[in-house]
Amino acid sequence: MSWQWPTPFVIDIDVRPAHIDGLGHVNNVVYVGWLEDCAWRHSQSLGLGLDEYRRLDRAMAVLRHEIDYLASARLGERLQMGTWIVESHRGLKMTRRFQLLRPADGATLLTAQTTFACIELSSGRPRRMPEAFVERYGRALIDV
């Protein structure tokens, strides 16, 4: 198995019947949910869960997803999704990359990039990241 960059944050995924569409493979919308799950779990591991977001009145909101679907996932497969924080822009934006692997054969099924903007929860307006975001997300930032 080959990750694009070292030391990803990784989640395990089991492909279940609810993930499968009429064409017999995982539906594209399901992959977006897996991206969100992976990003949230990584944020939580850094100490930035919903409670901390609410306390700070800030959140990282999706601005853009870019997804390359490279191969299909099928019912019963076990997958791993990794994520990396690769950019942080002056405390306003952050970019994550993702890679979905099938350990059984080492195939990369998907690569993706998501750009997030920091918003103030109470107003929904863009705001600079609080120091806790800069510090905790900054800990996970890698050079690509």
Side-chain angles (χ1 to χ4, degrees):
M1 211 165 50
S2 181
W3 293 108
Q4 292 176 310
W5 298 283
T7 62
F9 176 84
V10 178
I11 64 168
D12 295 314
I13 298 168
D14 292 316
V15 180
R16 301 185 177 171
H19 301 141
I20 305 301
D21 65 16
L23 301 176
H25 55 76
V26 172
N27 186 275
N28 63 307
V29 173
V30 172
Y31 292 104
V32 174
W34 291 344
L35 296 173
E36 179 183 18
D37 184 39
C38 188
W40 264 118
R41 288 169 61 185
H42 185 220
S43 291
Q44 291 167 337
S45 79
L46 297 171
L48 293 170
L50 282 175
D51 289 341
E52 188 70 354
Y53 274 27
R54 288 182 184 118
R55 186 183 75 74
L56 296 168
D57 192 29
R58 295 291 186 278
M60 298 306 295
V62 172
L63 280 179
R64 177 183 176 98
H65 286 301
E66 298 174 58
I67 302 171
D68 292 313
Y69 298 98
L70 306 173
S72 296
R74 304 212 178 268
L75 183 61
E77 290 182 330
R78 304 196 93 184
L79 310 174
Q80 290 191 312
M81 180 163 305
T83 190
W84 303 263
I85 297 173
V86 298
E87 292 180 68
S88 186
H89 308 279
R90 298 183 313 270
L92 294 172
K93 292 183 188 177
M94 177 177 77
T95 303
R96 283 184 176 276
R97 297 240 177 118
F98 299 88
Q99 182 181 2
L100 182 64
L101 290 174
R102 184 172 47 221
D105 63 3
T108 294
L109 306 183
L110 169 147
T111 59
Q113 178 172 297
T114 301
T115 303
F116 297 86
C118 187
I119 62 167
E120 182 179 62
L121 286 172
S122 58
S123 70
R125 294 176 186 234
R127 295 287 187 255
R128 291 206 173 277
M129 291 182 205
E131 186 56 36
F133 281 29
V134 172
E135 191 273 321
R136 293 177 197 170
Y137 285 126
R139 256 191 271 158
L141 186 65
I142 67 163
D143 288 325
V144 294

